[in-house]
Amino acid sequence: LGITPDGKKAVAAYFIMGHLLRKIPDAEYIRYYIACLEKEDSELQQIILLRLGHISIPREQSMDAVIELAGKDDWRIRWNAIYALGSQNTERCKEVLRAVIALEDHKAYRDDIITAQAAIMKIADQTELELIEKNLSSKSRKIRESAEFVVNWLREHDESS
C-alpha cells in the first residue's frame, strides 16, 4: 500500500483498511496489515488487532506477531491479540487459545480467559468442548457464563451440521 500515516490519519487508515479486509480478505494485504504490527506503537497495534479479530485470515499467513502480542503486559494489546487468534483456524492459534482457557488463576486472568473463549468459539470444533466445559464450574461468574454460552453455541452448531 505504501501508506505511512501519522497521528489521527494513521488510526483512520488502519481502521478503514481493516474494514476493507473484512469485506475483501486479500492475502497480500492481510500480510501487509499484520506486518504493520511490528512497526507501529501500541495505540495503532490495538486498532490493527481489533480489526484482525474480524477478518478471515488465510491458514498460510504467519501469526507470529499476533501470538507474540498475546503475551504482552498491556491488557489492551493482549486481549485484542488473543481475540485476533480466533480469526485463523490453525492448530497453532488453537494451541495458544487453549493455553489461555486452561489458565488456573481465574481471578488474575479472568478477562484473558473470557476473551480466549470468545475467540476460540469462531474456530472451535467439538474437540475444544471438553476444555471449555471445565470452566463451567469456575468460581468466577463471568468465566462460567462465558463458558456456558460457548458450550451451548458449540452444541447447537454441532447439531445443525
Side-chain angles (χ1 to χ4, degrees), residues 17 21 25-38 48-49 52-53 55-68 84-94 96 123:
M17 186 173 182
L21 289 172
D26 181 275
E28 181 181 340
Y29 290 125
I30 291 172
R31 186 171 29 262
Y32 170 82
Y33 200 57
I34 291 173
C36 289
L37 288 169
E38 296 177 13
I48 295 167
L49 290 166
L52 283 173
I55 296 170
S56 179
I57 300 173
R59 295 177 61 83
E60 60 277 357
Q61 171 61 49
S62 171
M63 292 289 276
D64 290 345
V66 178
I67 290 169
E68 182 179 328
L85 291 173
S87 294
Q88 187 185 60
N89 192 354
T90 61
E91 189 56 36
R92 186 150 185 241
C93 288
K94 285 183 178 183
V96 174
I123 58 174

Side-chain angles (χ1 to χ4, degrees), residues 15 27 31-32 48 73 85 104 124 132 135 139 141 151 154:
F15 183 80
R31 186 171 29 262
Y32 170 82
I48 295 167
D73 288 337
L85 291 173
E104 292 186 14
I132 298 166
N135 286 339
K139 290 181 181 178
R141 178 184 54 83
V151 166
L154 286 171

Side-chain angles (χ1 to χ4, degrees), residues 37 45-53 66 69 77 80-81 84:
L37 288 169
Q45 287 175 334
Q46 289 175 58
I47 299 292
I48 295 167
L49 290 166
L50 178 65
R51 299 310 334 140
L52 283 173
V66 178
L69 292 172
I77 300 290
N80 283 318

Side-chain angles (χ1 to χ4, degrees), residues 4-159:
T4 50
D6 297 313
K8 291 181 181 180
K9 290 180 183 177
V11 171
Y14 285 126
F15 183 80
I16 290 167
M17 186 173 182
H19 275 283
L20 290 171
L21 289 172
R22 182 177 179 196
K23 300 288 183 187
I24 308 165
D26 181 275
E28 181 181 340
Y29 290 125
I30 291 172
R31 186 171 29 262
Y32 170 82
Y33 200 57
I34 291 173
C36 289
L37 288 169
E38 296 177 13
K39 68 176 186 159
E40 297 297 358
D41 64 20
S42 62
E43 180 185 0
L44 294 176
Q45 287 175 334
Q46 289 175 58
I47 299 292
I48 295 167
L49 290 166
L50 178 65
R51 299 310 334 140
L52 283 173
H54 301 282
I55 296 170
S56 179
I57 300 173
R59 295 177 61 83
E60 60 277 357
Q61 171 61 49
S62 171
M63 292 289 276
D64 290 345
V66 178
I67 290 169
E68 182 179 328
L69 292 172
K72 281 282 196 188
D73 288 337
D74 183 343
W75 62 269
R76 296 166 298 181
I77 300 290
R78 188 175 65 249
W79 294 348
N80 283 318
I82 290 168
Y83 190 72
L85 291 173
S87 294
Q88 187 185 60
N89 192 354
T90 61
E91 189 56 36
R92 186 150 185 241
C93 288
K94 285 183 178 183
E95 184 179 301
V96 174
L97 292 171
R98 284 186 207 115
V100 175
I101 291 168
L103 290 170
E104 292 186 14
D105 189 345
H106 287 191
K107 188 173 183 176
Y109 298 107
R110 181 191 72 190
D111 294 315
D112 295 54
I113 295 166
I114 291 168
T115 303
Q117 288 180 160
I120 207 164
M121 185 174 81
K122 299 186 295 180
I123 58 174
D125 52 38
Q126 296 307 305
T127 58
E128 278 78 31
L129 193 58
E130 184 177 328
L131 175 64
I132 298 166
E133 283 176 331
K134 290 179 182 177
N135 286 339
L136 291 172
S137 59
S138 173
K139 290 181 181 178
S140 167
R141 178 184 54 83
K142 289 185 176 186
I143 290 176
R144 244 187 354 262
E145 289 174 353
S146 170
E148 184 178 355
F149 180 83
V150 174
V151 166
N152 289 337
W153 187 90
L154 286 171
R155 287 181 180 152
E156 287 175 21
H157 186 73
D158 186 49
E159 291 171 5

